[in-house]
Amino acid sequence: MDEKLARKLRILADAAKYDASCSSSGAPKRRAGAGELGSTTGAGICHAYTPDGRCVSLLKILLTNYCLFDCAYCVNRRSSNVARARFSVEEVVTLTIEFYKRNYIEGLFLSSGIIRSPDYTMEMLTRVAKKLRREHGFRGYIHLKSIPEASPWLIEEAGLYADRLSINLELPTEASLNRLAPEKDGAAIESAMGQIGERIVQAKEERRRFSPAGQSTQVIVGADATTDEAMIRKSALLYGTYGLKRVYYSAFSPIPDASAALPLQAPPLRREHRLYQADWLIRYYEFSPDDVAGASEDGMLALDIDPKLAWALKNRHRFPVDVNRADREMLLRVPGLGARAVDAIIKARRHGRLRLDDVARLSSGLKRARPFLIAEDFRPTTLTDRLDLRAKLAEPAEQLSLF
Amino acid sequence: MGEPSRDLPPTERAGDFGGIHVVSLAPGADLSGFRTAARRLIAAGIPPKNIVWQTEAPSLFGAESGSADGPPLQLPRAVTELIPMVVPHRDPERYGLLYALLWRVLHGERALMDVLSDPLVHRLHRMRKAIGRDLHKMHAFLRFRRVPGEGPERFVAWFEPDHHILGAAAPFFVDRFRALTWSILTPEGSAHWDGTLRFGPPGRREDVPDGDGFEAGWRDYYENTFNPARLNLDAMRAEMPRKYWRNMPETAAIPALVRAASARAQAMIEKEPTMPVKRDPVRAVAKMARDEPDSLEALNAIIARSEPLVPGATQAVLGQGPVGARIAFVGEQPGDQEDRQGRPFVGPAGQLLSRALEEAGIDRGEAYLTNAVKHFKFTLRGKRRIHEKPTAGEVSHYRWWLEKELDFVAPKLVVALGATAVLSLTGKQIPITRARGPAAFGRSFAGFITVHPSYLLRLPDEAAKAAAYQAFVDDLRRANALAA
Ligand code: SF4
């Protein structure tokens, strides 16, 4: 690999790392036919992990980090003094193919600063995907971050080649957008999401391919005053209205050459983590946004305990739950019991009454679950009333802290 | 315990409930050996406690030959799926545990697999998970290196799995790297692909090239995608245990990244934000004015460049008529003739439309004619290209262009010819019979709905045809009056 390309790669990987999404899951299973390269397994594969604990699944790069916009939280905003570079379409294709052949990656996640115009930029992104598919028979994963201000037909075309399209909302309220991303238009973002969402549903019905792994978005946490509750309510709306597959929460990260408009501080990683947990409860545990609101104080999730435990502690009267009797919905509310453990419990109890040992074999979170459940040979008696229960179950405050 | 069973011929041995049966399977993951043995032993009613499974070379006791086969076993799917996922486990007890499972399932516990809390099922389940994880890590952490030299590209990888999974892992690499020639070497055996998959003897790490031209680039990527402000080593180690590191080129960068991380993050926080030195915001934003097409011509150039959503069409068929036309007519999609000539409404339906327009007093040359969908879609029947109706998805795909097109033409009235045009202009499926007449399309022009002329061509009897044609001409007259 020549040094010029290597230099661009360093700059444009660095510039892309603040995007939280990197997953390669959700695409229909595919495998390479004769003369083709690449497959998707449905589940996604993480090919490495960096010391920040996040996985490397896709080659996540920017086409260019020049940008005409000036979003305060973004290292690529036009007023930032970072080094700039720009890949050609051909260069991105080469990197993707060569990395893929060596089994470094599952595919490509391509995003870009906005250069020349939104349409021009969007066309370039699409051209990369098209070239990979058409000229290289590439069957691996492709995620394109769409430019919401681009003409709608360009987004339509992108969806023909990409496995996933995303548009970053970045800030959950119009007011924050106006203040921190003056050139961005919240209405344009949501209308593009709506367009993509509609087309995905339609293509599924017609058995055509259009962004088959769905669409996702990212919201930045900690760059403005939005509460966790507001964040979760917004996400629930996005899931419901546009059929989003994922909302990523990205703790606002210190960036080189930061804007004066933003707080300079360590990123609220623990908060980000709690938001993911709350999001998870909504998607897989039948919690409503109101439940999440009920588990928080003044709209903020507790940092020392997870939201499910917070909810349980506030609703002690609904516990303990009998593992041999309770319905699925209530079992899902037991702290420490994952959805898989709940399903295993329901299956197993058809064949005999479960003792605490049995539950221990079905769930790895028994220690946390114990105060909240009843088994054939076990009752927690007064545990759920104990005042120090929270203290006993809380995580040490510094676990995720950095400095 | 009775005598070792080796002295007895196989048939008699099978009936010997008191004897110990020693079954010897090939080293590694001997799925077919296990299957044969299990069928035979189950058929003979040998309980698990009377069997010794060994995977080494035959011991002093000698072993049963695997030649005699029993009838296939009728098992729940959950069991047949489990077996191949446990056989590669390196635990020497795996065959014994699996046989115990078969025995219990076939002796009254059909639903045993549902009882994950059962100690045997639980243990097998954990073994399956270990294999799944090992496979996953091999799929993820294996790194190919290109063999230097001329000729077709060849890739080689070295990997050390925890269990005997090479056979189970290979199909993944075939599915993925079908177009390449590659070998995977492990301490237990090797897999080779050049259009067919073959397995061979163990390899050595030295048989893999030292480096690869893209490895440095990959390490650059790895280093730069790491965010020093988010250091979280526990999470990294949990997912990528150290034992894998030595065969992954990028992990060499980890110590230095970790050492520098907190200083780098601190520096970002402490550094005063700088003021922009270049890139005047006002000029930059002015420059970014949207470059959506600014004329019908520019739009048409984009449409002409586009590819058909459904492959097959010769060319995009653009609208025809003057910008500023009083009336615009929107049809469904180009047909066979339109596709060949590249002009709208030139086929039989178009000719009928021309006639009706004339009778209604509309000059075709002064109207604007276009289609909701810009490409011909057909199925080939012999040599004939039979028109196929566009789906709702295709109609919405093209809708943006139609909207923009009509914005440029800016007619007083838009006449939707048929249901597809209505769908495109309103986003809704509305039956023509009910909606016929003036309509609202939610834009800055008046709307009108009538049938598509091809509908008239399809009517079977002449009387109905004549009546429908007359009604169509009447519609056009009304539309003409509305657009006056
Ligand atoms: S448009 Fe995107 S790349 Fe440009 S400054 Fe805003 S967030 Fe950054």
Side-chain angles (χ1 to χ4, degrees):
Chain A
M1 212 171 111
D2 71 273
E3 177 46 35
K4 225 182 83 205
L5 185 58
R7 185 182 159 270
K8 289 188 191 178
L9 177 61
R10 287 194 288 271
I11 293 175
L12 293 168
D14 190 295
K17 72 183 170 204
Y18 303 98
D19 208 302
S21 73
C22 75
S23 109
S24 54
S25 61
K29 285 188 185 180
R30 291 194 297 261
R31 48 188 177 185
E36 290 181 335
L37 178 70
S39 61
T40 45
T41 59
I45 296 178
C46 303
H47 284 263
Y49 291 80
T50 58
D52 53 25
R54 294 196 298 176
C55 89
V56 180
S57 177
L58 303 170
L59 171 62
K60 182 161 70 180
I61 47 175
L62 258 55
L63 188 63
T64 173
N65 66 340
Y66 289 99
C67 189
L68 291 166
F69 279 23
D70 203 34
C71 311
Y73 47 78
C74 179
V75 66
N76 306 314
R77 69 190 189 285
R78 65 167 181 267
S79 62
S80 149
N81 289 312
V82 292
R84 308 274 172 171
R86 177 179 171 178
F87 281 130
S88 69
V89 167
E90 193 50 57
E91 284 168 335
V92 177
V93 168
T94 303
L95 280 173
T96 308
I97 293 290
E98 294 299 339
F99 280 7
Y100 197 87
K101 280 179 178 174
R102 286 155 180 82
N103 204 39
Y104 299 159
I105 50 170
E106 284 295 286
L108 174 68
F109 174 17
L110 188 60
S111 167
S112 182
I114 297 171
I115 39 164
R116 223 143 101 187
S117 73
D119 273 12
Y120 175 81
T121 311
M122 190 70 215
E123 260 190 274
M124 290 306 221
L125 295 176
T126 306
R127 203 181 297 169
V128 170
K130 185 169 171 180
K131 204 175 177 91
L132 278 167
R133 298 276 193 236
R134 289 282 174 82
E135 291 174 28
H136 296 268
F138 180 68
R139 308 267 284 153
Y141 197 90
I142 300 179
H143 177 162
L144 296 181
K145 190 152 100 197
S146 313
I147 313 288
E149 294 81 3
S151 296
W153 52 81
L154 294 172
I155 292 177
E156 303 273 328
E157 200 190 355
L160 303 180
Y161 304 104
D163 286 297
R164 172 172 285 185
L165 294 177
S166 63
I167 295 177
N168 285 359
L169 189 62
E170 308 289 19
L171 297 166
T173 68
E174 191 72 39
S176 296
L177 267 180
N178 286 343
R179 194 169 65 83
L180 296 174
E183 289 95 7
K184 283 206 170 165
D185 172 358
I189 294 176
E190 295 209 19
S191 101
M193 279 183 186
Q195 183 196 350
I196 293 172
E198 248 174 53
R199 215 45 26 81
I200 289 173
V201 170
Q202 218 157 34
K204 255 195 202 124
E205 279 166 9
E206 295 175 5
R207 294 159 180 272
R208 280 185 299 109
R209 203 191 132 95
F210 185 94
S211 188
Q215 66 167 325
S216 59
T217 195
Q218 164 170 303
V219 235
I220 294 179
V221 178
D224 67 351
T226 311
T227 62
D228 293 341
E229 182 189 336
M231 207 79 95
I232 288 295
R233 287 192 190 279
K234 181 80 194 185
S235 301
L237 214 67
L238 294 175
Y239 286 127
T241 313
Y242 308 119
L244 258 68
K245 267 275 158 62
R246 277 297 294 276
V247 174
Y248 290 92
Y249 304 93
S250 174
F252 169 68
S253 176
I255 47 174
D257 204 46
S259 153
L262 281 171
L264 287 175
Q265 59 189 15
L269 295 181
R270 177 69 71 91
R271 188 178 167 205
E272 176 191 293
H273 184 58
R274 295 293 178 231
L275 280 167
Y276 274 120
Q277 288 176 322
D279 189 271
W280 195 258
L281 291 180
I282 288 192
R283 287 189 297 145
Y284 299 108
Y285 287 78
E286 298 173 26
F287 275 62
S288 68
D290 285 340
D291 290 331
V292 174
S296 46
E297 301 281 355
D298 298 326
M300 295 305 275
L301 294 166
L303 292 178
D304 61 334
I305 53 174
D306 68 81
K308 196 171 165 189
L309 180 57
W311 184 88
L313 289 174
K314 286 193 170 186
N315 292 275
R316 292 179 193 221
H317 58 284
R318 301 187 61 175
F319 296 94
V321 169
D322 187 342
V323 293
N324 285 303
R325 273 224 183 64
D327 57 14
R328 184 166 190 275
E329 203 190 330
M330 204 51 218
L331 283 173
L332 285 173
R333 303 240 161 187
V334 176
L337 286 191
R340 242 195 251 174
V342 167
D343 290 336
I345 286 173
I346 290 172
K347 243 183 177 181
R349 73 186 185 185
R350 286 189 208 125
H351 304 274
R353 300 189 62 81
L354 301 177
R355 306 165 66 83
L356 202 59
D357 274 357
D358 295 318
V359 181
R361 278 190 285 269
L362 299 175
S363 163
S364 53
L366 184 68
K367 195 169 148 249
R368 274 158 24 83
R370 259 177 86 113
F372 300 95
L373 55 77
I374 296 172
E376 179 68 358
D377 59 344
F378 174 78
R379 275 198 99 81
T381 52
T382 59
L383 256 182
T384 49
D385 295 327
R386 277 172 53 170
L387 287 173
D388 62 346
L389 190 53
R390 176 182 182 132
K392 275 190 61 159
L393 295 170
E395 298 160 32
E398 289 306 303
Q399 193 189 316
L400 280 165
S401 144
L402 291 180
F403 297 106
Chain B
M1 304 256 173
E3 283 287 289
S5 53
R6 71 193 147 111
D7 300 330
L8 303 168
T11 41
E12 286 167 57
R13 221 190 300 138
D16 179 8
F17 287 89
I20 289 294
H21 294 248
V22 177
V23 182
S24 183
L25 298 176
D30 187 0
L31 180 60
S32 70
F34 174 69
R35 184 188 292 116
T36 311
R39 284 177 180 176
R40 178 162 40 85
L41 293 162
I42 292 281
I46 314 290
K49 66 174 169 44
N50 288 7
I51 306 170
V52 172
W53 299 86
Q54 60 177 29
T55 51
E56 303 307 317
S59 74
L60 273 181
F61 287 105
E64 295 186 4
S65 76
S67 56
D69 204 351
L73 304 174
Q74 299 274 340
L75 295 166
R77 174 178 290 256
V79 179
T80 51
E81 282 172 354
L82 177 77
I83 295 170
M85 284 300 282
V86 171
V87 161
H89 203 284
R90 63 157 185 243
D91 186 335
E93 290 185 45
R94 62 191 181 280
Y95 295 117
L97 294 169
L98 282 172
Y99 188 76
L101 178 80
L102 293 182
W103 183 266
R104 285 176 62 189
V105 166
L106 292 168
H107 289 83
E109 293 181 78
R110 286 300 285 184
L112 183 55
M113 283 297 287
D114 283 353
V115 192
L116 262 182
S117 52
D118 179 274
L120 173 65
V121 179
H122 179 63
R123 179 150 173 215
L124 285 167
H125 193 71
R126 278 193 7 229
M127 290 167 83
R128 185 233 303 260
K129 262 171 99 172
I131 296 301
R133 188 174 158 87
D134 206 26
L135 278 170
H136 190 83
K137 295 303 183 196
M138 181 163 176
H139 295 161
F141 296 156
L142 175 138
R143 301 282 179 260
F144 279 119
R145 281 180 173 156
R146 199 187 150 179
V147 179
E150 302 294 303
E153 286 188 317
R154 216 162 68 71
F155 293 87
V156 184
W158 168 255
F159 198 79
E160 296 159 283
D162 282 350
H163 301 279
H164 313 295
I165 57 165
L166 180 61
F172 168 86
F173 293 100
V174 173
D175 285 349
R176 172 156 296 191
F177 302 110
R178 194 173 294 277
L180 308 181
T181 299
W182 50 260
S183 295
I184 296 172
L185 313 180
T186 80
E188 275 188 8
S190 52
H192 308 271
W193 171 262
D194 58 359
T196 36
L197 181 65
R198 285 171 296 110
F199 292 96
R204 292 171 312 160
R205 186 197 301 268
E206 304 83 79
D207 299 336
V208 177
D210 278 345
D212 178 295
F214 277 84
E215 240 164 52
W218 171 239
R219 197 152 46 229
D220 280 347
Y221 173 73
Y222 179 78
E223 286 175 14
N224 284 286
T225 203
F226 160 62
N227 184 347
R230 301 181 60 108
L231 192 65
N232 187 350
L233 291 169
D234 290 341
M236 173 183 71
R237 285 197 212 99
E239 299 294 344
M240 191 174 69
R242 272 203 110 94
K243 64 182 177 197
Y244 297 109
W245 291 17
R246 60 201 185 116
N247 295 319
M248 298 171 72
E250 61 272 41
T251 52
I254 293 174
L257 289 177
V258 173
R259 244 179 286 120
S262 71
R264 278 173 68 196
Q266 201 55 43
M268 286 192 284
I269 290 171
E270 277 165 7
K271 199 163 166 249
E272 288 288 311
T274 51
M275 283 314 287
V277 284
K278 43 184 189 272
R279 281 184 283 274
D280 170 13
V282 181
R283 270 180 41 214
V285 173
K287 210 174 130 206
M288 200 214 49
R290 301 178 65 142
D291 70 343
E292 260 190 36
D294 53 2
S295 66
L296 184 58
E297 230 182 344
L299 175 72
N300 279 340
I302 293 173
I303 300 175
R305 268 207 318 270
S306 72
E307 284 179 42
L309 187 54
V310 179
T314 319
Q315 56 189 317
V317 176
L318 306 173
Q320 200 176 36
V323 166
R326 217 164 34 90
I327 304 191
F329 291 93
V330 179
E332 185 192 65
Q333 73 177 341
D336 181 73
Q337 284 303 312
E338 286 81 5
D339 177 68
R340 289 175 205 277
Q341 299 184 32
R343 285 180 301 135
F345 291 102
V346 291
Q351 286 159 23
L352 188 67
L353 175 67
S354 294
R355 221 177 86 204
L357 286 174
E358 206 179 313
E359 276 183 45
I362 301 170
D363 183 345
R364 175 167 166 156
E366 284 178 7
Y368 187 82
L369 299 174
T370 192
N371 282 302
V373 168
K374 306 299 179 192
H375 291 102
F376 179 40
K377 177 184 171 193
F378 59 88
T379 40
L380 214 50
R381 211 168 294 150
K383 278 193 179 156
R384 294 203 317 142
R385 309 197 295 173
I386 307 294
H387 160 274
E388 226 187 295
K389 196 176 152 59
T391 64
E394 285 151 27
V395 173
S396 8
H397 179 85
Y398 287 95
R399 179 179 92 224
W400 314 104
W401 282 336
L402 179 66
E403 285 179 358
K404 198 89 195 150
E405 188 183 3
L406 293 174
D407 284 347
F408 286 127
V409 176
K412 275 190 164 161
L413 179 78
V414 171
V415 179
L417 302 170
T420 298
V422 174
L423 174 63
S424 176
L425 289 161
T426 63
K428 282 183 236 132
Q429 307 263 15
I430 302 172
I432 297 302
T433 40
R434 224 188 308 135
R436 206 161 174 164
F441 296 146
R443 297 182 77 79
S444 54
F445 42 73
F448 193 93
I449 295 175
T450 184
V451 297
H452 194 278
S454 63
Y455 155 80
L456 306 173
L457 292 172
R458 283 197 307 267
L459 286 173
D461 84 280
E462 286 307 314
K465 215 175 226 169
Y469 177 75
Q470 210 41 60
F472 182 55
V473 174
D474 288 346
D475 274 356
L476 296 183
R477 279 205 189 93
R478 275 176 79 196
N480 194 22
L482 282 174

